[in-house]
Amino acid sequence: MASKYLDRDGSRYGIPTYPRNLAPTGLATKNQLRSMGLRPGGQEPAAQLMWRSTCGGSRHGVRVAYLYRLDAAKPVRPMTAAKQAALDKAMAARRTCRDCGLEHPYCLPTSLGRTCPPGTGCAALAAA
């Protein structure tokens, strides 16, 4: 079966290209690397996957996923205490109402201006 997305030597697309689900062993996407506890570690993509798609995020109906070599991947850097504290502070800001300062157990939507949803917090007090 010939595929217009099969370009093993990279002459058509610039880097080796494979149809979805036909990548050679030893290569992985960033998400696959992350699930293995790895990261690309500064390496350039070794190949790419291409496939037709009609869903969002595709350009001209074609989607691309870059592939990285497993043997050149590095372990994910561990989370430091300072980075964890910064992430906790940022998430608390996303959960805190800008009007009343009430912290919710979920992130407030930007469509509401990061204020309490109708019927809760300061929005419920204003309606009463």
Side-chain angles (χ1 to χ4, degrees):
M1 176 180 116
S3 171
K4 68 179 185 178
Y5 300 124
L6 183 59
D7 177 24
R8 289 187 175 104
D9 60 1
S11 60
R12 180 188 286 171
Y13 298 108
I15 63 174
T17 304
Y18 302 93
R20 192 167 69 170
N21 298 325
L22 292 179
T25 58
L27 298 176
T29 64
K30 280 186 180 181
N31 286 342
Q32 290 169 334
L33 287 175
R34 179 60 77 160
S35 69
M36 293 182 252
L38 300 171
R39 60 186 170 93
Q43 65 175 304
E44 293 294 319
Q48 66 184 354
L49 296 175
M50 290 181 88
W51 68 96
R52 286 202 48 76
S53 175
T54 57
C55 67
S58 63
R59 172 171 273 164
H60 308 295
V62 177
R63 298 195 67 176
V64 175
Y66 294 112
L67 299 169
Y68 300 90
R69 293 181 19 225
L70 288 173
D71 60 349
K74 297 180 179 177
V76 174
R77 293 183 185 111
M79 180 74 71
T80 64
K83 189 172 183 178
Q84 184 64 52
L87 288 173
D88 291 343
K89 185 177 177 182
M91 289 305 294
R94 292 182 64 192
R95 293 189 306 262
T96 304
C97 175
R98 289 182 177 171
D99 290 344
C100 67
L102 178 67
E103 187 172 347
H104 294 271
Y106 50 86
C107 291
L108 297 172
T110 56
S111 62
L112 297 176
R114 294 241 189 260
T115 59
C116 294
T120 66
C122 59
L125 294 175

